[in-house]
Amino acid sequence: MYHEFSKRRKPIGVLMIEHRLIERALAALKSKISPAGGPDVLSLAELIDFFGTYADATHHGKEEDILFVAADQMSLSDELEKILAELREDHVKFRGFRRAMAEANRRIADGDAGAFQDIILTAREFIPMLRSHILKEDKIFFPGFDGLQSAEDRETMKNSFMEFDMEMVHETYQSVVDRNE
């Protein structure tokens, strides 16, 4: 399903479609960090895994290994160069937040009652940071980058994305988000 749909899109369109699923996962995470509800360790583990596997390994993997590499070969404007550097920094911050939430969730499972507060505090920074990151890509970097690509470059990149994704499991993580919304 995903691959058939993405064949008809530009590479940046594929990434933006992935952003919509990531945004849904962010909303699900926000709903799971209500202090009144208490920790749902299983749902949190699924969402944290989603952020590690789908958002980072799959989505950021395509950006870092394909899109950003192509951008490094282009003559980007000073603004796009600056944003590209920020996007790379955001990916590093993202990984730190995700690791912190995973560790806190393990501590909850081990009986550490205070660890849920650590997830809440981390998620309250993680969610707006990732939303801002997505907005920066969707509204500034992707359109600027796309304007520099030829139709042939787009097709080559899209094929590279498809090859990259063959080892990933989009539909599985779609189900994770569906279950946790």
PDB file of all heavy atoms in Angstrom, residues 101-133:
ATOM      1  N   MET A 101      13.700   8.603  26.942  1.00  0.00           N
ATOM      2  CA  MET A 101      12.364   8.054  27.186  1.00  0.00           C
ATOM      3  C   MET A 101      12.404   6.531  27.280  1.00  0.00           C
ATOM      4  O   MET A 101      11.719   5.937  28.119  1.00  0.00           O
ATOM      5  CB  MET A 101      11.382   8.506  26.099  1.00  0.00           C
ATOM      6  CG  MET A 101      11.002   9.979  26.216  1.00  0.00           C
ATOM      7  SD  MET A 101       9.686  10.498  25.094  1.00  0.00           S
ATOM      8  CE  MET A 101      10.486  10.358  23.499  1.00  0.00           C
ATOM      9  N   ALA A 102      13.198   5.888  26.438  1.00  0.00           N
ATOM     10  CA  ALA A 102      13.309   4.425  26.479  1.00  0.00           C
ATOM     11  C   ALA A 102      13.882   3.970  27.823  1.00  0.00           C
ATOM     12  O   ALA A 102      13.386   3.017  28.435  1.00  0.00           O
ATOM     13  CB  ALA A 102      14.175   3.921  25.320  1.00  0.00           C
ATOM     14  N   GLU A 103      14.899   4.658  28.285  1.00  0.00           N
ATOM     15  CA  GLU A 103      15.510   4.305  29.571  1.00  0.00           C
ATOM     16  C   GLU A 103      14.521   4.520  30.712  1.00  0.00           C
ATOM     17  O   GLU A 103      14.387   3.682  31.597  1.00  0.00           O
ATOM     18  CB  GLU A 103      16.787   5.124  29.796  1.00  0.00           C
ATOM     19  CG  GLU A 103      17.441   4.893  31.148  1.00  0.00           C
ATOM     20  CD  GLU A 103      17.778   3.431  31.437  1.00  0.00           C
ATOM     21  OE1 GLU A 103      18.117   2.681  30.502  1.00  0.00           O
ATOM     22  OE2 GLU A 103      17.700   3.044  32.622  1.00  0.00           O
ATOM     23  N   ALA A 104      13.803   5.645  30.697  1.00  0.00           N
ATOM     24  CA  ALA A 104      12.817   5.909  31.748  1.00  0.00           C
ATOM     25  C   ALA A 104      11.699   4.859  31.712  1.00  0.00           C
ATOM     26  O   ALA A 104      11.230   4.422  32.768  1.00  0.00           O
ATOM     27  CB  ALA A 104      12.242   7.314  31.598  1.00  0.00           C
ATOM     28  N   ASN A 105      11.291   4.449  30.517  1.00  0.00           N
ATOM     29  CA  ASN A 105      10.236   3.432  30.426  1.00  0.00           C
ATOM     30  C   ASN A 105      10.722   2.086  30.973  1.00  0.00           C
ATOM     31  O   ASN A 105       9.962   1.367  31.621  1.00  0.00           O
ATOM     32  CB  ASN A 105       9.737   3.302  28.988  1.00  0.00           C
ATOM     33  CG  ASN A 105       8.348   2.719  28.929  1.00  0.00           C
ATOM     34  OD1 ASN A 105       7.474   3.091  29.692  1.00  0.00           O
ATOM     35  ND2 ASN A 105       8.142   1.784  28.011  1.00  0.00           N
ATOM     36  N   ARG A 106      11.993   1.763  30.744  1.00  0.00           N
ATOM     37  CA  ARG A 106      12.557   0.538  31.344  1.00  0.00           C
ATOM     38  C   ARG A 106      12.541   0.643  32.868  1.00  0.00           C
ATOM     39  O   ARG A 106      12.251  -0.335  33.558  1.00  0.00           O
ATOM     40  CB  ARG A 106      13.985   0.291  30.839  1.00  0.00           C
ATOM     41  CG  ARG A 106      14.052  -0.370  29.472  1.00  0.00           C
ATOM     42  CD  ARG A 106      15.460  -0.827  29.126  1.00  0.00           C
ATOM     43  NE  ARG A 106      16.361   0.268  28.820  1.00  0.00           N
ATOM     44  CZ  ARG A 106      16.416   0.902  27.642  1.00  0.00           C
ATOM     45  NH1 ARG A 106      15.625   0.545  26.668  1.00  0.00           N
ATOM     46  NH2 ARG A 106      17.263   1.878  27.445  1.00  0.00           N
ATOM     47  N   ARG A 107      12.847   1.832  33.373  1.00  0.00           N
ATOM     48  CA  ARG A 107      12.844   2.025  34.825  1.00  0.00           C
ATOM     49  C   ARG A 107      11.438   1.890  35.400  1.00  0.00           C
ATOM     50  O   ARG A 107      11.265   1.359  36.495  1.00  0.00           O
ATOM     51  CB  ARG A 107      13.462   3.381  35.173  1.00  0.00           C
ATOM     52  CG  ARG A 107      14.960   3.421  34.904  1.00  0.00           C
ATOM     53  CD  ARG A 107      15.683   4.719  35.274  1.00  0.00           C
ATOM     54  NE  ARG A 107      14.976   5.692  36.040  1.00  0.00           N
ATOM     55  CZ  ARG A 107      14.719   6.939  35.612  1.00  0.00           C
ATOM     56  NH1 ARG A 107      15.110   7.346  34.415  1.00  0.00           N
ATOM     57  NH2 ARG A 107      14.083   7.776  36.387  1.00  0.00           N
ATOM     58  N   ILE A 108      10.427   2.364  34.653  1.00  0.00           N
ATOM     59  CA  ILE A 108       9.035   2.184  35.101  1.00  0.00           C
ATOM     60  C   ILE A 108       8.734   0.701  35.215  1.00  0.00           C
ATOM     61  O   ILE A 108       8.181   0.237  36.213  1.00  0.00           O
ATOM     62  CB  ILE A 108       8.043   2.858  34.124  1.00  0.00           C
ATOM     63  CG1 ILE A 108       8.171   4.374  34.174  1.00  0.00           C
ATOM     64  CG2 ILE A 108       6.601   2.435  34.446  1.00  0.00           C
ATOM     65  CD1 ILE A 108       7.403   5.088  33.078  1.00  0.00           C
ATOM     66  N   ALA A 109       9.112  -0.052  34.177  1.00  0.00           N
ATOM     67  CA  ALA A 109       8.860  -1.498  34.165  1.00  0.00           C
ATOM     68  C   ALA A 109       9.565  -2.192  35.329  1.00  0.00           C
ATOM     69  O   ALA A 109       9.088  -3.209  35.829  1.00  0.00           O
ATOM     70  CB  ALA A 109       9.297  -2.103  32.838  1.00  0.00           C
ATOM     71  N   ASP A 110      10.689  -1.615  35.776  1.00  0.00           N
ATOM     72  CA  ASP A 110      11.429  -2.176  36.905  1.00  0.00           C
ATOM     73  C   ASP A 110      10.905  -1.688  38.257  1.00  0.00           C
ATOM     74  O   ASP A 110      11.491  -1.998  39.290  1.00  0.00           O
ATOM     75  CB  ASP A 110      12.922  -1.833  36.779  1.00  0.00           C
ATOM     76  CG  ASP A 110      13.604  -2.567  35.650  1.00  0.00           C
ATOM     77  OD1 ASP A 110      13.061  -3.596  35.198  1.00  0.00           O
ATOM     78  OD2 ASP A 110      14.678  -2.102  35.207  1.00  0.00           O
ATOM     79  N   GLY A 111       9.835  -0.877  38.228  1.00  0.00           N
ATOM     80  CA  GLY A 111       9.227  -0.450  39.481  1.00  0.00           C
ATOM     81  C   GLY A 111       9.607   0.930  39.970  1.00  0.00           C
ATOM     82  O   GLY A 111       9.221   1.319  41.077  1.00  0.00           O
ATOM     83  N   ASP A 112      10.350   1.693  39.200  1.00  0.00           N
ATOM     84  CA  ASP A 112      10.749   3.046  39.594  1.00  0.00           C
ATOM     85  C   ASP A 112       9.595   4.009  39.318  1.00  0.00           C
ATOM     86  O   ASP A 112       9.389   4.443  38.187  1.00  0.00           O
ATOM     87  CB  ASP A 112      12.000   3.454  38.812  1.00  0.00           C
ATOM     88  CG  ASP A 112      12.502   4.850  39.155  1.00  0.00           C
ATOM     89  OD1 ASP A 112      11.796   5.605  39.861  1.00  0.00           O
ATOM     90  OD2 ASP A 112      13.610   5.198  38.704  1.00  0.00           O
ATOM     91  N   ALA A 113       8.844   4.358  40.352  1.00  0.00           N
ATOM     92  CA  ALA A 113       7.656   5.200  40.207  1.00  0.00           C
ATOM     93  C   ALA A 113       7.984   6.602  39.700  1.00  0.00           C
ATOM     94  O   ALA A 113       7.179   7.224  39.013  1.00  0.00           O
ATOM     95  CB  ALA A 113       6.913   5.287  41.529  1.00  0.00           C
ATOM     96  N   GLY A 114       9.146   7.110  40.009  1.00  0.00           N
ATOM     97  CA  GLY A 114       9.520   8.459  39.573  1.00  0.00           C
ATOM     98  C   GLY A 114       9.907   8.542  38.104  1.00  0.00           C
ATOM     99  O   GLY A 114       9.996   9.634  37.540  1.00  0.00           O
ATOM    100  N   ALA A 115      10.128   7.421  37.467  1.00  0.00           N
ATOM    101  CA  ALA A 115      10.579   7.419  36.074  1.00  0.00           C
ATOM    102  C   ALA A 115       9.520   7.947  35.115  1.00  0.00           C
ATOM    103  O   ALA A 115       9.855   8.502  34.068  1.00  0.00           O
ATOM    104  CB  ALA A 115      11.011   6.018  35.665  1.00  0.00           C
ATOM    105  N   PHE A 116       8.231   7.804  35.467  1.00  0.00           N
ATOM    106  CA  PHE A 116       7.187   8.325  34.587  1.00  0.00           C
ATOM    107  C   PHE A 116       7.296   9.833  34.472  1.00  0.00           C
ATOM    108  O   PHE A 116       7.090  10.400  33.391  1.00  0.00           O
ATOM    109  CB  PHE A 116       5.799   7.906  35.079  1.00  0.00           C
ATOM    110  CG  PHE A 116       4.675   8.290  34.152  1.00  0.00           C
ATOM    111  CD1 PHE A 116       4.737   8.011  32.788  1.00  0.00           C
ATOM    112  CD2 PHE A 116       3.542   8.918  34.637  1.00  0.00           C
ATOM    113  CE1 PHE A 116       3.701   8.352  31.930  1.00  0.00           C
ATOM    114  CE2 PHE A 116       2.496   9.264  33.791  1.00  0.00           C
ATOM    115  CZ  PHE A 116       2.575   8.987  32.439  1.00  0.00           C
ATOM    116  N   GLN A 117       7.661  10.484  35.563  1.00  0.00           N
ATOM    117  CA  GLN A 117       7.852  11.941  35.522  1.00  0.00           C
ATOM    118  C   GLN A 117       8.982  12.302  34.552  1.00  0.00           C
ATOM    119  O   GLN A 117       8.907  13.309  33.849  1.00  0.00           O
ATOM    120  CB  GLN A 117       8.140  12.490  36.931  1.00  0.00           C
ATOM    121  CG  GLN A 117       8.186  14.001  36.999  1.00  0.00           C
ATOM    122  CD  GLN A 117       6.853  14.659  36.648  1.00  0.00           C
ATOM    123  OE1 GLN A 117       5.782  14.109  36.866  1.00  0.00           O
ATOM    124  NE2 GLN A 117       6.926  15.842  36.063  1.00  0.00           N
ATOM    125  N   ASP A 118      10.013  11.469  34.482  1.00  0.00           N
ATOM    126  CA  ASP A 118      11.104  11.711  33.532  1.00  0.00           C
ATOM    127  C   ASP A 118      10.606  11.616  32.090  1.00  0.00           C
ATOM    128  O   ASP A 118      11.021  12.403  31.235  1.00  0.00           O
ATOM    129  CB  ASP A 118      12.251  10.715  33.752  1.00  0.00           C
ATOM    130  CG  ASP A 118      12.974  10.935  35.071  1.00  0.00           C
ATOM    131  OD1 ASP A 118      12.825  12.032  35.661  1.00  0.00           O
ATOM    132  OD2 ASP A 118      13.672  10.013  35.515  1.00  0.00           O
ATOM    133  N   ILE A 119       9.734  10.660  31.831  1.00  0.00           N
ATOM    134  CA  ILE A 119       9.161  10.554  30.483  1.00  0.00           C
ATOM    135  C   ILE A 119       8.327  11.793  30.177  1.00  0.00           C
ATOM    136  O   ILE A 119       8.424  12.369  29.089  1.00  0.00           O
ATOM    137  CB  ILE A 119       8.310   9.268  30.312  1.00  0.00           C
ATOM    138  CG1 ILE A 119       9.226   8.049  30.261  1.00  0.00           C
ATOM    139  CG2 ILE A 119       7.449   9.351  29.043  1.00  0.00           C
ATOM    140  CD1 ILE A 119       8.518   6.735  30.056  1.00  0.00           C
ATOM    141  N   ILE A 120       7.522  12.216  31.127  1.00  0.00           N
ATOM    142  CA  ILE A 120       6.676  13.400  30.929  1.00  0.00           C
ATOM    143  C   ILE A 120       7.539  14.609  30.596  1.00  0.00           C
ATOM    144  O   ILE A 120       7.287  15.321  29.614  1.00  0.00           O
ATOM    145  CB  ILE A 120       5.796  13.665  32.167  1.00  0.00           C
ATOM    146  CG1 ILE A 120       4.757  12.554  32.335  1.00  0.00           C
ATOM    147  CG2 ILE A 120       5.130  15.036  32.080  1.00  0.00           C
ATOM    148  CD1 ILE A 120       4.017  12.586  33.666  1.00  0.00           C
ATOM    149  N   LEU A 121       8.568  14.847  31.400  1.00  0.00           N
ATOM    150  CA  LEU A 121       9.428  16.015  31.183  1.00  0.00           C
ATOM    151  C   LEU A 121      10.159  15.932  29.841  1.00  0.00           C
ATOM    152  O   LEU A 121      10.257  16.927  29.118  1.00  0.00           O
ATOM    153  CB  LEU A 121      10.424  16.158  32.338  1.00  0.00           C
ATOM    154  CG  LEU A 121       9.807  16.484  33.700  1.00  0.00           C
ATOM    155  CD1 LEU A 121      10.870  16.435  34.796  1.00  0.00           C
ATOM    156  CD2 LEU A 121       9.105  17.833  33.674  1.00  0.00           C
ATOM    157  N   THR A 122      10.652  14.753  29.497  1.00  0.00           N
ATOM    158  CA  THR A 122      11.358  14.582  28.227  1.00  0.00           C
ATOM    159  C   THR A 122      10.400  14.764  27.060  1.00  0.00           C
ATOM    160  O   THR A 122      10.717  15.461  26.087  1.00  0.00           O
ATOM    161  CB  THR A 122      12.033  13.193  28.163  1.00  0.00           C
ATOM    162  OG1 THR A 122      12.932  13.073  29.261  1.00  0.00           O
ATOM    163  CG2 THR A 122      12.798  13.013  26.860  1.00  0.00           C
ATOM    164  N   ALA A 123       9.234  14.148  27.139  1.00  0.00           N
ATOM    165  CA  ALA A 123       8.258  14.251  26.051  1.00  0.00           C
ATOM    166  C   ALA A 123       7.798  15.683  25.850  1.00  0.00           C
ATOM    167  O   ALA A 123       7.538  16.105  24.713  1.00  0.00           O
ATOM    168  CB  ALA A 123       7.066  13.339  26.323  1.00  0.00           C
ATOM    169  N   ARG A 124       7.719  16.453  26.918  1.00  0.00           N
ATOM    170  CA  ARG A 124       7.299  17.857  26.799  1.00  0.00           C
ATOM    171  C   ARG A 124       8.325  18.706  26.046  1.00  0.00           C
ATOM    172  O   ARG A 124       7.986  19.765  25.532  1.00  0.00           O
ATOM    173  CB  ARG A 124       7.025  18.440  28.184  1.00  0.00           C
ATOM    174  CG  ARG A 124       5.712  17.944  28.752  1.00  0.00           C
ATOM    175  CD  ARG A 124       5.413  18.583  30.072  1.00  0.00           C
ATOM    176  NE  ARG A 124       4.138  18.087  30.618  1.00  0.00           N
ATOM    177  CZ  ARG A 124       3.796  18.160  31.874  1.00  0.00           C
ATOM    178  NH1 ARG A 124       4.612  18.730  32.757  1.00  0.00           N
ATOM    179  NH2 ARG A 124       2.636  17.683  32.275  1.00  0.00           N
ATOM    180  N   GLU A 125       9.552  18.257  25.987  1.00  0.00           N
ATOM    181  CA  GLU A 125      10.565  18.925  25.151  1.00  0.00           C
ATOM    182  C   GLU A 125      10.617  18.298  23.767  1.00  0.00           C
ATOM    183  O   GLU A 125      10.762  18.985  22.760  1.00  0.00           O
ATOM    184  CB  GLU A 125      11.946  18.811  25.803  1.00  0.00           C
ATOM    185  CG  GLU A 125      12.139  19.642  27.036  1.00  0.00           C
ATOM    186  CD  GLU A 125      13.564  19.536  27.543  1.00  0.00           C
ATOM    187  OE1 GLU A 125      14.483  19.963  26.810  1.00  0.00           O
ATOM    188  OE2 GLU A 125      13.750  19.002  28.652  1.00  0.00           O
ATOM    189  N   PHE A 126      10.522  16.976  23.727  1.00  0.00           N
ATOM    190  CA  PHE A 126      10.634  16.203  22.491  1.00  0.00           C
ATOM    191  C   PHE A 126       9.527  16.550  21.491  1.00  0.00           C
ATOM    192  O   PHE A 126       9.788  16.783  20.308  1.00  0.00           O
ATOM    193  CB  PHE A 126      10.579  14.713  22.857  1.00  0.00           C
ATOM    194  CG  PHE A 126      10.548  13.761  21.698  1.00  0.00           C
ATOM    195  CD1 PHE A 126      11.679  13.512  20.947  1.00  0.00           C
ATOM    196  CD2 PHE A 126       9.375  13.080  21.369  1.00  0.00           C
ATOM    197  CE1 PHE A 126      11.665  12.613  19.895  1.00  0.00           C
ATOM    198  CE2 PHE A 126       9.343  12.173  20.325  1.00  0.00           C
ATOM    199  CZ  PHE A 126      10.496  11.946  19.580  1.00  0.00           C
ATOM    200  N   ILE A 127       8.279  16.594  21.960  1.00  0.00           N
ATOM    201  CA  ILE A 127       7.137  16.796  21.065  1.00  0.00           C
ATOM    202  C   ILE A 127       7.223  18.132  20.328  1.00  0.00           C
ATOM    203  O   ILE A 127       7.172  18.150  19.092  1.00  0.00           O
ATOM    204  CB  ILE A 127       5.798  16.611  21.817  1.00  0.00           C
ATOM    205  CG1 ILE A 127       5.640  15.142  22.243  1.00  0.00           C
ATOM    206  CG2 ILE A 127       4.618  17.075  20.968  1.00  0.00           C
ATOM    207  CD1 ILE A 127       4.512  14.884  23.239  1.00  0.00           C
ATOM    208  N   PRO A 128       7.383  19.259  21.013  1.00  0.00           N
ATOM    209  CA  PRO A 128       7.462  20.522  20.251  1.00  0.00           C
ATOM    210  C   PRO A 128       8.732  20.621  19.394  1.00  0.00           C
ATOM    211  O   PRO A 128       8.705  21.211  18.316  1.00  0.00           O
ATOM    212  CB  PRO A 128       7.422  21.612  21.318  1.00  0.00           C
ATOM    213  CG  PRO A 128       7.673  20.941  22.618  1.00  0.00           C
ATOM    214  CD  PRO A 128       7.344  19.495  22.458  1.00  0.00           C
ATOM    215  N   MET A 129       9.844  20.033  19.872  1.00  0.00           N
ATOM    216  CA  MET A 129      11.063  20.066  19.071  1.00  0.00           C
ATOM    217  C   MET A 129      10.847  19.339  17.750  1.00  0.00           C
ATOM    218  O   MET A 129      11.189  19.847  16.683  1.00  0.00           O
ATOM    219  CB  MET A 129      12.222  19.421  19.843  1.00  0.00           C
ATOM    220  CG  MET A 129      13.594  19.504  19.159  1.00  0.00           C
ATOM    221  SD  MET A 129      14.003  18.291  17.872  1.00  0.00           S
ATOM    222  CE  MET A 129      13.945  16.762  18.748  1.00  0.00           C
ATOM    223  N   LEU A 130      10.237  18.152  17.804  1.00  0.00           N
ATOM    224  CA  LEU A 130      10.038  17.386  16.576  1.00  0.00           C
ATOM    225  C   LEU A 130       9.003  18.053  15.682  1.00  0.00           C
ATOM    226  O   LEU A 130       9.155  18.074  14.461  1.00  0.00           O
ATOM    227  CB  LEU A 130       9.658  15.936  16.890  1.00  0.00           C
ATOM    228  CG  LEU A 130       9.665  14.978  15.700  1.00  0.00           C
ATOM    229  CD1 LEU A 130      10.980  15.038  14.914  1.00  0.00           C
ATOM    230  CD2 LEU A 130       9.400  13.560  16.166  1.00  0.00           C
ATOM    231  N   ARG A 131       7.974  18.632  16.264  1.00  0.00           N
ATOM    232  CA  ARG A 131       6.976  19.351  15.447  1.00  0.00           C
ATOM    233  C   ARG A 131       7.623  20.535  14.730  1.00  0.00           C
ATOM    234  O   ARG A 131       7.351  20.782  13.554  1.00  0.00           O
ATOM    235  CB  ARG A 131       5.806  19.799  16.307  1.00  0.00           C
ATOM    236  CG  ARG A 131       4.891  18.661  16.660  1.00  0.00           C
ATOM    237  CD  ARG A 131       3.645  19.129  17.374  1.00  0.00           C
ATOM    238  NE  ARG A 131       2.733  18.001  17.548  1.00  0.00           N
ATOM    239  CZ  ARG A 131       1.921  17.853  18.562  1.00  0.00           C
ATOM    240  NH1 ARG A 131       1.872  18.763  19.519  1.00  0.00           N
ATOM    241  NH2 ARG A 131       1.132  16.805  18.638  1.00  0.00           N
ATOM    242  N   SER A 132       8.467  21.257  15.414  1.00  0.00           N
ATOM    243  CA  SER A 132       9.176  22.387  14.810  1.00  0.00           C
ATOM    244  C   SER A 132      10.110  21.900  13.695  1.00  0.00           C
ATOM    245  O   SER A 132      10.216  22.525  12.639  1.00  0.00           O
ATOM    246  CB  SER A 132       9.964  23.131  15.891  1.00  0.00           C
ATOM    247  OG  SER A 132      10.763  24.128  15.332  1.00  0.00           O
ATOM    248  N   HIS A 133      10.776  20.789  13.941  1.00  0.00           N
ATOM    249  CA  HIS A 133      11.684  20.191  12.957  1.00  0.00           C
ATOM    250  C   HIS A 133      10.912  19.831  11.678  1.00  0.00           C
ATOM    251  O   HIS A 133      11.347  20.147  10.565  1.00  0.00           O
ATOM    252  CB  HIS A 133      12.330  18.938  13.561  1.00  0.00           C
ATOM    253  CG  HIS A 133      13.164  18.146  12.626  1.00  0.00           C
ATOM    254  ND1 HIS A 133      14.490  18.430  12.383  1.00  0.00           N
ATOM    255  CD2 HIS A 133      12.862  17.047  11.868  1.00  0.00           C
ATOM    256  CE1 HIS A 133      14.974  17.554  11.513  1.00  0.00           C
ATOM    257  NE2 HIS A 133      14.004  16.708  11.191  1.00  0.00           N
TER     258      HIS A 133
END
